[in-house]
Amino acid sequence: MASFVLDGSSYTKKPEVSDTLGFATEALIMNVRWFIKIRWIIVCLLSAFAAVSALMPGWMRDIGISPPHIWPWVLAVGLMLANSVFWLLSLRLGEASRPRRVEQNMWLQIIVDLSVLTALVHFVGSTETFAAFLYLLHIVCACIFFPPKRSFLVASLSAALYAVCVSLEHYGLWERTSILTSERSAPGSYEWIPPVFAASAIVIWFAVWYLVQTIARAVVRRDIQLHRANQQLLLADEEKNKLVLRTTHDLKAPFSGIESNIQILRLKCGDELSETAREILGRIERRSHSLATRIRDILLLGQIRSENAPDQEPEHFNISDIIRSVVSDIEDRARERSVDIELDLIPLEVKGNASRYSILFLNLISNAVTYAHEAGEARISMKRTDSGYEISVADDGIGIAEDCLPHIFDEYYRTSDAAAYNPRSTGLGLSIVSEIVQKESLKISVNSLQGIGTTFTVSIPTHYCSLRDKDYNLKTDNS
C-alpha cells in the first residue's frame, strides 16, 4: 500500500531577518542554543581532563604532560555555572524576541568565553603551546554571525586579552605555567621569544579575521539578495493571485445568470425544444455547473490563503458535530451512488477555526463518496493516539497510484483515473485541504492501493483537543 504524509505543523511564517546581523532571529536563537550545547561538551572535556590527571598522574607524565591540580576543576565549574545562566536566559528567547536582545545574549556569552579561554591558555601554556589559537574559533564564529565592525571588536578583544596574559607573564606579575613537562630555558635566556610568538599569533588572527569576514559578508550579501528576490517573487505571486481572484469573482455572477436562464428555459420552453436542442442545453448546463464549481473553489482557496490565522481568536467546537453536519449535506449524493457512510465518532472538542474544519472534511468526505465504487461504502472513524487524535476518512474506491501520491495536493492536479472517473472535478479540493492543514498546524497522511481504496487520516495534536463527554471517558477506562 502506498502512503504519503503532509505535515502542516512544520508550516511557519516567513522568518524575520535582522538588519543588524543579517540573519533571521530564529536562526540567531538557534545558534545561541547551539553554543550552549557546545559549551556543555567543553565542560565535560575539562572535567574528564581533571579526572584523568587526578587518577593517572604517572601516565600523564609519561606522555609529557604535567598533571594539573585544581585549575581544570575551577574552570569546569565556573563554565558550568555560566552556561546554566545562559541556558535560563535562552529560554526567554523566541521568534518574537528583538534581534538586539539576542545579540546582547551572544555578546555576554562571548565575553565570558574569552575570559575563561584566557585563563585556560595561561594554564596550558600561553607561548609554549598552541592553545592560544583556540581564540580563532571565536573570531571565525564572530565573522559569521556579526558584521565586520563587531567581528573586528571580537578579534581585538581576543588579541587584547592574550596580549595582557603574555605581558603579565613576561614581567613576572602572573607566574608562567605550562602543562608540558619539558625543561624550560634558564631565566633571562631567549626572553624575546614569548612576545614574538604572541605578536605572530595576533597577526595570524587578524589575517584570518580579514579572510573569513570577507567571505562571510559576501555570503550574507548574497543571502540578502536572494531574500529580496524571493520577497519580490512573493509579492508578484500575491498580485497575480489577487488578479485571478478579482477576475474569478467577476465571472461568478455571469455563470450564475447562465445557470438561472437554463433553468428558466427548461421550465418555459422545455416541451417545445427538440431532442437535439435539449441535449445541447444539457451539455451547456453541465459545463456551466462545472465552471461555477471551479470558480467557487478558486475563491475559497484564495480566501483561506488570505486569512491570517494568528489574528483570529480560536473557537471551541465538537468535531463530531462538524462531521455529522458535513455527512448530512452530502447524503443525497451518497444516496444517488448507493454509497453507505459509516460513522465511528467520539465527542471530541477541538480548538481552531470551525469553518476551516468543516471545509476540510467536506472535501475529504465528498471525495470518499465520489470515488467509492457504486454501492460501496465510506467510513469516518476517530481514535486516540500518543500524540493526539486521528480522524480517518476511508473509501473502497479506485485508489491512487503510488507515483501520483506526492502530487495530489497540488493545484489542478488530477490523476488520469480520477479524471476519467469524475470529469467534473476541479482539481482544487485537495489543494484546499492542504492549505487548511497548514493554517491549522495539522498533519494529514494518505494510504492508498489502486482498485482497493484510499484512506486520508487527519492528525490533531493533543493540545488542540479535549474529550467533552465524561461518560465516554468512563466507558473507555472500563473497557
Side-chain angles (χ1 to χ4, degrees):
M1 177 177 287
S3 62
F4 178 76
V5 178
L6 177 66
D7 191 352
S9 60
S10 60
Y11 173 80
T12 56
K13 65 178 181 179
K14 182 169 67 276
E16 175 190 357
V17 175
S18 165
D19 294 332
T20 305
L21 304 178
F23 285 88
T25 303
E26 183 181 1
L28 287 174
I29 295 172
M30 181 180 67
N31 289 322
V32 166
R33 291 170 179 166
W34 180 79
F35 280 124
I36 292 173
K37 293 178 182 177
I38 295 298
R39 204 171 288 109
W40 286 125
I41 296 175
I42 296 173
V43 169
C44 292
L45 291 176
L46 283 171
S47 301
F49 178 67
V52 171
S53 300
L55 296 175
M56 295 184 291
W59 177 77
M60 297 285 286
R61 292 189 183 91
D62 290 340
I63 63 174
I65 297 177
S66 177
H69 296 291
I70 195 171
W71 66 261
W73 291 114
V74 173
L75 292 181
V77 171
L79 200 58
M80 181 179 65
L81 294 175
N83 209 35
S84 299
V85 174
F86 296 149
W87 175 72
L88 292 174
L89 292 175
S90 71
L91 295 179
R92 299 181 180 181
L93 300 178
E95 290 185 18
S97 300
R98 294 182 178 180
R100 181 67 61 183
R101 183 179 177 187
V102 182
E103 184 184 4
Q104 290 172 350
N105 188 293
M106 293 184 70
W107 272 109
L108 179 61
Q109 294 193 39
I110 288 171
I111 293 172
V112 172
D113 284 347
L114 290 179
S115 301
V116 173
L117 181 56
T118 302
L120 177 65
V121 167
H122 165 72
F123 289 118
V124 172
S126 59
T127 57
E128 296 182 0
T129 67
F130 291 102
F133 285 89
L134 292 173
Y135 284 104
L136 279 176
L137 296 176
H138 275 283
I139 294 173
V140 170
C141 289
C143 291
I144 295 173
F145 299 118
F146 291 114
K149 290 183 179 179
R150 286 180 173 81
S151 62
F152 181 80
L153 183 59
V154 173
S156 300
L157 181 59
S158 301
L161 288 173
Y162 182 55
V164 168
C165 175
V166 174
S167 298
L168 291 175
E169 293 175 352
H170 181 70
Y171 291 106
L173 300 177
W174 199 2
E175 183 181 357
R176 185 179 298 171
T177 61
S178 174
I179 62 172
L180 301 179
T181 57
S182 58
E183 294 184 359
R184 298 188 180 91
S185 302
S189 62
Y190 302 108
E191 286 296 328
W192 55 271
I193 292 179
V196 170
F197 182 94
S200 302
I202 290 173
V203 169
I204 293 173
W205 295 354
F206 280 102
V208 171
W209 165 81
Y210 178 77
L211 292 174
V212 176
Q213 71 88 18
T214 301
I215 296 172
R217 289 307 98 195
V219 172
V220 169
R221 281 195 297 270
R222 183 62 174 169
D223 182 70
I224 292 174
Q225 289 174 357
L226 291 174
H227 174 75
R228 289 173 179 170
N230 185 56
Q231 288 291 98
Q232 292 176 353
L233 289 174
L234 290 174
L235 289 174
D237 185 65
E238 185 177 345
E239 288 300 319
K240 182 201 72 174
N241 288 335
K242 288 180 180 178
L243 178 61
V244 170
L245 289 175
R246 282 196 297 267
T247 305
T248 305
H249 188 271
D250 292 341
L251 291 173
K252 183 178 180 181
F255 275 102
S256 297
I258 291 172
E259 289 184 312
S260 299
N261 286 323
I262 289 173
Q263 295 299 325
I264 294 172
L265 189 60
R266 281 188 180 279
L267 290 173
K268 293 187 175 182
C269 307
D271 296 336
E272 302 175 11
L273 296 175
S274 65
E275 185 65 29
T276 303
R278 282 197 295 269
E279 183 180 345
I280 294 173
L281 189 63
R283 288 202 298 268
I284 295 173
E285 183 179 20
R286 289 192 296 272
R287 186 59 177 167
S288 298
H289 179 74
S290 176
L291 290 175
T293 302
R294 176 164 296 191
I295 289 171
R296 181 202 64 196
D297 287 347
I298 291 173
L299 291 174
L300 180 59
L301 183 59
Q303 176 188 349
I304 294 172
R305 283 180 173 169
S306 63
E307 289 176 349
N308 191 4
D311 294 340
Q312 297 178 355
E313 189 69 25
E315 308 168 67
H316 292 266
F317 54 89
N318 191 330
I319 192 66
S320 298
D321 292 343
I322 294 285
I323 293 175
R324 288 191 181 95
S325 176
V326 168
V327 170
S328 176
D329 291 339
I330 61 174
E331 273 184 345
D332 292 340
R333 172 64 176 157
R335 195 176 297 111
E336 289 176 6
R337 305 195 67 247
S338 300
V339 174
D340 184 32
I341 301 178
E342 295 184 2
L343 299 178
D344 182 14
L345 308 177
I346 58 178
L348 180 66
E349 187 175 86
V350 174
K351 180 175 66 175
N353 187 307
S355 176
R356 289 179 186 165
Y357 275 85
S358 179
I359 296 169
L360 169 68
F361 286 105
L362 176 62
N363 279 280
L364 292 179
I365 297 173
S366 62
N367 276 357
V369 170
T370 299
Y371 294 105
H373 292 302
E374 290 281 351
E377 65 177 9
R379 300 175 300 280
I380 300 99
S381 59
M382 300 170 63
K383 69 175 182 179
R384 186 168 189 169
T385 64
D386 294 336
S387 58
Y389 292 84
E390 290 183 351
I391 305 176
S392 298
V393 180
D395 63 66
D396 58 354
I398 61 175
I400 305 170
E402 183 175 0
D403 59 334
C404 296
L405 282 178
H407 307 288
I408 61 175
F409 293 104
D410 296 344
E411 291 181 29
Y412 303 107
Y413 180 82
R414 293 191 297 167
T415 66
S416 55
D417 292 339
Y421 201 79
N422 181 28
R424 297 183 182 181
S425 171
T426 63
L428 290 174
L430 290 180
S431 297
I432 294 172
V433 167
S434 170
E435 197 68 29
I436 293 173
V437 165
Q438 292 178 352
K439 290 286 188 180
E440 294 294 317
S441 299
L442 307 175
K443 183 169 73 173
I444 185 168
S445 59
V446 189
N447 292 282
S448 186
L449 191 62
Q450 279 190 290
I452 302 299
T454 303
T455 301
F456 286 85
T457 302
V458 179
S459 301
I460 307 176
T462 304
H463 56 277
Y464 290 160
C465 308
S466 62
L467 283 174
R468 293 176 55 186
D469 193 340
K470 295 181 180 179
D471 294 336
Y472 179 83
N473 284 323
L474 293 173
K475 180 181 176 182
T476 306
D477 294 338
N478 292 333
S479 60

